Amino acid sequence: MMLLLGLVLGSAFGAALQLSGASSHTKITQALRLKDLTIIKLIVVAIGVGLIGVHLLDLWGWANMKVKDLYLPGMIVAGLIFGVGFAVSGYCPGTALVAAAEGKPDAWVTVLGGMFGALVFAFMFPDLETMLLSFGEYGPVTIHGLLGIQGAILAIPLGGFCLWLAARLPGSGGAQ
């Protein structure tokens, strides 16, 4: 049942990406240049809904929030790899999969490159683990944990702000 739910939600997410134009290299470039904010609005809505939804599910006991430990060197390396891949291909992992499903050859190259990179990392991780995890380990860090409050107390207003902001951002036609 959980696999079926994952399939349905993943398909819905992919459909939302495709319908919003997030699988279009041109649309992504226009968003990064702040000329068409449609994709940015989609991201802000997803953040808002995700913040509220996940924290309410956790508050009601329907989800178990487990925050991974923060390892600063690993985060920096991962961010650099992601940023370079996004800059070179014009796709992030989700949009690359949607564009590949549409049959776009450049997206297939991106997906295959990502899978190859993940495979290389999996084989290299035992050798890199000590270096990446030996310093800069801060444990599970959350803003609400640092403030000493329940996550929903921060997530619900912040998620509401994201939804409010998305409703006020212009879509296609450019930033104003």
Side-chain angles (χ1 to χ4, degrees), residues 110-157:
T110 301
V111 170
L112 293 173
M115 289 168 46
F116 177 74
L119 181 67
V120 168
F121 179 77
F123 282 113
M124 289 179 63
F125 185 72
D127 297 327
L128 296 174
E129 183 175 19
T130 305
M131 180 182 69
L132 292 176
L133 306 180
S134 64
F135 64 96
E137 188 232 321
Y138 296 98
V141 177
T142 61
I143 296 171
H144 60 84
L146 293 173
L147 296 175
I149 59 175
Q150 167 53 252
I153 293 171
L154 188 60
I156 292 172

Side-chain angles (χ1 to χ4, degrees), residues 21-33 39 86 90-92 95:
S23 61
S24 164
H25 185 274
T26 303
K27 193 108 171 166
I28 293 169
T29 303
Q30 293 299 317
L32 293 172
R33 292 180 178 164
I39 294 173
F86 193 3
Y91 293 110
C92 68
T95 59

